[in-house]
Amino acid sequence: MRRSAFLALVAACLIAASGAKAAEICTLIADGESGAVLLERGDCRTRVTPASTFKVPLAVMGFDAGFLTAPDAPVLDFQEGYPDWIAEWRQPTDPAAWMRHSVVWYSQQVTKALGAERLSAYAGAWGYGNADFSGDPGLGNGLERAWIASSLKVSPAEQVKFLHGLFNRTLTASPSAMEMTVAIVEGHRAGEWSVKGKTGSAYPRRADRSFDRARAWGWYVGWATKGERSVVFARLNQDEERTEGPSGLRARDGFLAELAGL
């Protein structure tokens, strides 16, 4: 398919499938091999919280640093006091389950093992957002939640740049760290496309530190292949009203439905 026809199909499918309850902030699709932008619509340059999409770069960091050693190791035990919002979090967890169930406390064990200085060095080397792991001002909680509506911020364009490096194994990390990260990222099908990606959901904070639950961000980032064709992508939505269910799952499902039509 010629590039112009591909772009026309992308635009038509994305417009047709847009939902009424969430505003699309950005859809960015780039060629998996060259990195050339195929579609950029909306504000893809403003940084917001990465939420759970940060688990993908954190996995590369954890494997490269040696804290994570295999898709099934280490297995860490749940402890009382850990975030336990869903049942899957209240059990022993390995890296594959961490990524699949988006387990917050497992991320916290990785960040604490690596420390803010090392995390910032990795993120800075990869151009992953502002590389700020200080956390909420004055609270010293960066290793607990810098990536959840706090200090760490990244734009869709920066997400795609990082993912292009991971997809092509060109990040400044060991080849095995990138291979194991790719292995644990969840896979899906979208028509003839084979997709791997990560969702992320987070509520913005108001000035009084309460959460604005009517304006949730929803991310879906990753890469997709179809035959010899490959793309890397980022979708970022923001809810316009309070809606049940994780906003990241809605971003994922909408994007996959659209991609299947290409």
Side-chain angles (χ1 to χ4, degrees), residues 188-208:
H188 293 274
R189 295 293 301 183
E192 296 180 8
W193 291 91
S194 177
V195 185
K196 281 208 160 194
K198 184 72 188 78
T199 60
S201 307
Y203 299 114
R205 280 193 184 273
R206 301 185 181 95
D208 63 0

Side-chain angles (χ1 to χ4, degrees), residues 134-155:
S134 61
D136 299 335
L139 296 182
N141 60 359
L143 297 180
E144 297 174 4
R145 59 168 306 114
W147 60 97
I148 309 172
S150 186
S151 58
L152 182 64
K153 293 180 171 61
V154 65
S155 69

